[in-house]
Amino acid sequence: MQTRLPPSNLYLREEELRRGVELLYFAYRDFTGDPDNILIKQQFGRAHHRVLYFVGRNPNIPVSGLLKLLRITKQSLSRVLSQLMDEGYIVQEQGIMDRRQRLLKLTEKGIKFEAELFSSQRERIARAYKNAGPEAVSGFWEVLLNIIDGEHRDSVLKQIEK
Amino acid sequence: MQTRLPPSNLYLREEELRRGVELLYFAYRDFTGDPDNILIKQQFGRAHHRVLYFVGRNPNIPVSGLLKLLRITKQSLSRVLSQLMDEGYIVQEQGIMDRRQRLLKLTEKGIKFEAELFSSQRERIARAYKNAGPEAVSGFWEVLLNIIDGEHRDSVLKQIEK
DNA sequence: AATAATCAGTCAATATTCCTGACATAATAA
DNA sequence: TTATTATGTCAGGAATATTGACTGATTATT
């Protein structure tokens, strides 16, 4: 096994680091291409997808929570969110604990559309997981998690571990 | 070891697939943030970085080659490339085999700037590789490569394996 | 040699996404 | 009462990318 070999830092050479950069770039591009092709039909963009995705994953998230998660300005979110609400994909309810808050959740229509978008990515990810095998997948998660800023890692873990 | 455990497809459940989606999103965001902060000072954007990166990795690449690699239109490339040439980061030479071609390469100034941009990402990637270990890194590469479209995988391998 | 195709560049118009700044309203906290 | 927070909106602008149309130089085809 790799772990029984004498320690080697060959995987930390410049070529191996650049390999990570390039694989991330190309994989991310193809991976976002699937939903992009569906979104374009509804005159939506990647920003709409992100909102649908994270509202779907965090029902009743307040607007401020979504802004922190996506790290965009409320002006940027405004247009996208308004369109999604106008077209019946998302609804907001006044908060109970804090009535200033607007809690966001997907409608039935939103749930269906998000599922369609996710399914276009699911096939790609599932195929990649299957081809690479469970150990590779663990490594994939481990490296990605360590690429994320330390200060944000907790919120990501909270996001993905449920 | 994982490989001695009875076969399991738990890693192919929806939760695990969504974990991949989310880790990719957050990791890609932080990972592109490092060079973004440097680029903004020179009034450059992410598009300039991509051109600098791939010209650096493919010296004497013709314009058409860069267009194929980046999958953008020549009109999009035009503005970015003109700026990079005007400011002395990239030069072009007439092709020898085919004198219609303009072969691109980084100047000394371009090499230094690309190195600065890469170094901001190198620390992040190297730390992630080191924390995760060589086996995890292999898995990371394996999964990313399988996420890339089959039809593009060869050109990516050609790009990264040198 | 004439014609067609390719590589590169440019001009114009447009779309999308995101930004900063300023201001307003309602609700909560000090 | 005053300050702060959560949300929303208006205005203006920047960056990235698109499609379409056209030009010039060079190479390939017939």
Side-chain angles (χ1 to χ4, degrees):
Chain A
M1 305 297 300
Q2 282 280 356
T3 49
R4 305 251 176 112
L5 290 174
S8 157
N9 283 322
L10 289 184
Y11 72 112
L12 295 174
R13 291 179 312 188
E14 168 136 348
E15 274 308 306
E16 280 67 34
L17 299 175
R18 287 200 183 265
R19 183 180 301 173
V21 171
E22 287 152 32
L23 283 171
L24 262 179
Y25 171 68
F26 291 114
Y28 193 79
R29 187 177 63 180
D30 285 346
F31 155 81
T32 51
D34 301 323
D36 284 353
N37 293 329
I38 300 171
L39 290 156
I40 197 90
K41 297 179 206 156
Q42 333 269 328
Q43 304 262 317
F44 286 157
R46 207 171 286 177
H48 299 84
H49 186 199
R50 285 196 292 264
V51 170
L52 284 169
Y53 187 93
F54 287 109
V55 170
R57 286 287 272 173
N58 301 275
N60 295 317
I61 188 174
V63 171
S64 57
L66 197 53
L67 290 176
K68 271 182 206 160
L69 197 60
L70 297 176
R71 281 200 256 158
I72 56 175
T73 60
K74 61 181 173 178
Q75 296 92 329
S76 294
L77 178 61
S78 167
R79 182 185 52 88
V80 172
L81 190 54
S82 303
Q83 288 174 309
L84 290 170
M85 291 191 299
D86 288 349
E87 304 198 22
Y89 293 97
I90 288 181
V91 284
Q92 53 179 207
E93 284 174 6
Q94 194 168 41
I96 302 167
M97 309 292 285
D98 184 338
R99 289 186 303 165
R100 291 171 303 181
Q101 291 184 329
R102 299 290 175 272
L103 309 182
L104 306 171
K105 60 180 182 183
L106 299 185
T107 60
E108 273 304 312
K109 184 179 176 185
I111 290 171
K112 274 187 191 165
F113 188 44
E114 196 282 325
E116 183 190 351
L117 292 167
F118 175 64
S119 125
S120 74
Q121 295 187 301
R122 171 168 41 213
E123 292 177 39
R124 179 184 297 274
I125 306 277
R127 187 202 61 204
Y129 278 15
K130 206 177 291 183
N131 288 348
E135 286 186 68
V137 172
S138 291
F140 171 69
W141 291 335
E142 186 75 11
V143 174
L144 283 180
L145 189 60
N146 276 288
I147 285 176
I148 295 168
D149 283 349
E151 44 182 327
H152 304 127
R153 225 167 285 157
D154 286 348
S155 64
V156 173
L157 281 174
K158 192 176 142 202
Q159 176 67 33
I160 66 180
E161 281 182 352
K162 44 173 163 188
Chain B
M1 307 298 301
Q2 283 279 359
T3 49
R4 306 252 175 112
L5 289 175
S8 158
N9 284 322
L10 288 184
Y11 71 112
L12 295 174
R13 292 178 311 187
E14 169 138 346
E15 274 309 305
E16 280 67 33
L17 299 174
R18 287 200 184 266
R19 182 180 301 173
V21 171
E22 286 152 33
L23 283 170
L24 261 179
Y25 171 68
F26 290 115
Y28 193 80
R29 187 177 63 181
D30 285 347
F31 155 81
T32 51
D34 301 323
D36 284 354
N37 293 329
I38 299 170
L39 289 156
I40 196 91
K41 296 179 206 157
Q42 334 268 328
Q43 305 264 318
F44 286 157
R46 206 170 287 178
H48 299 84
H49 186 200
R50 285 196 291 264
V51 171
L52 284 169
Y53 187 93
F54 287 110
V55 170
R57 288 286 273 173
N58 302 276
N60 295 315
I61 188 175
V63 172
S64 58
L66 197 54
L67 290 176
K68 271 181 206 160
L69 197 60
L70 298 176
R71 280 200 255 160
I72 56 174
T73 60
K74 61 181 174 179
Q75 295 92 328
S76 294
L77 178 61
S78 168
R79 181 185 51 88
V80 171
L81 190 54
S82 303
Q83 288 173 311
L84 289 170
M85 292 192 299
D86 288 349
E87 303 198 22
Y89 292 98
I90 288 181
V91 284
Q92 53 180 204
E93 284 173 6
Q94 193 168 42
I96 302 167
M97 309 290 285
D98 186 338
R99 290 186 302 166
R100 290 170 303 182
Q101 291 185 329
R102 298 292 175 271
L103 309 182
L104 306 171
K105 59 180 182 183
L106 298 186
T107 61
E108 274 304 313
K109 185 179 176 186
I111 291 170
K112 274 187 192 165
F113 188 46
E114 195 283 325
E116 182 190 351
L117 292 167
F118 176 64
S119 123
S120 74
Q121 295 188 301
R122 171 167 43 212
E123 291 176 40
R124 180 184 296 274
I125 306 277
R127 187 202 60 205
Y129 278 15
K130 205 178 289 182
N131 287 349
E135 287 185 69
V137 172
S138 291
F140 172 69
W141 291 334
E142 185 76 10
V143 174
L144 284 181
L145 189 60
N146 276 288
I147 286 176
I148 295 169
D149 282 351
E151 44 183 325
H152 303 128
R153 224 168 285 155
D154 286 347
S155 64
V156 174
L157 282 174
K158 193 176 140 201
Q159 176 68 32
I160 66 180
E161 279 181 354
K162 46 174 161 186

